[in-house]
Amino acid sequence: MPVGWKPKRVHKVIAGKEGITIQGGRTMNNTKWNEIFRAFYYDNELIKDAPLIRWRTKDTETGCLSNWDGTWAHFGCEPRDWDKIEYLQIQLTPENKTYAMECLKRIHVPGTVENGVATVYGYRTDVDYI
């Protein structure tokens, strides 16, 4: 083995009676979550006539899925427990889809796009990157 080589960390998502349990490390780190926050906060909050980009998250500890929110300051308020985000969903509309997808592709995040929603996963390893 080469010097400095480390094995990949094993990630498991186990579905059970109590919901989903996540074992192993994250696929998203604090830097990536902050990049998403900065990209959407500055445009949604600070640029006049920017398309509204609504989001919601699912908490890994409580299983709570938040309501759709258009205020990105709520997403990035510190201290933020980024490691508690199972996934972030972004509502895609004809007005925001091109911009939102360009941002997510530039940041290079693990996720899916289905039925007008981009989902960025905090822990899943079985999905492609957007």
Side-chain angles (χ1 to χ4, degrees):
M1 284 183 244
V3 175
W5 179 86
K6 291 182 182 177
K8 279 189 169 183
R9 200 164 185 188
V10 176
H11 308 275
K12 292 181 183 177
V13 178
I14 301 169
K17 290 181 183 178
E18 304 300 318
I20 293 177
T21 301
I22 298 169
Q23 297 177 338
R26 297 183 289 167
T27 55
M28 285 286 287
N29 59 34
N30 292 350
T31 300
K32 292 286 187 181
W33 288 122
N34 279 317
E35 286 181 50
I36 290 172
F37 166 67
R38 282 192 301 270
F40 294 123
Y41 170 76
Y42 287 113
D43 284 353
N44 260 220
E45 303 290 329
L46 303 177
I47 296 176
K48 184 181 176 183
D49 300 327
L52 177 66
I53 299 175
R54 294 168 46 89
W55 61 274
R56 66 182 180 180
T57 57
K58 184 170 183 187
D59 187 286
T60 59
E61 290 184 356
T62 66
C64 178
L65 181 61
S66 67
N67 293 323
W68 288 105
D69 193 338
T71 306
W72 282 87
H74 297 162
F75 179 77
C77 287
E78 296 297 336
R80 181 66 176 150
D81 294 325
W82 299 116
D83 60 330
K84 293 181 183 176
I85 298 175
E86 184 175 328
Y87 59 77
L88 161 71
Q89 291 186 316
I90 296 173
Q91 199 172 52
L92 302 174
T93 65
E95 295 79 22
N96 74 19
K97 184 176 182 177
T98 300
Y99 174 75
M101 292 305 297
E102 285 174 0
C103 286
L104 293 175
K105 286 177 185 177
R106 183 181 70 248
I107 298 168
H108 193 66
V109 295
T112 57
V113 178
E114 296 177 359
N115 302 319
V117 175
T119 303
V120 177
Y121 295 99
Y123 290 88
R124 282 186 55 182
T125 59
D126 61 335
V127 295
D128 290 328
Y129 278 70
I130 293 177

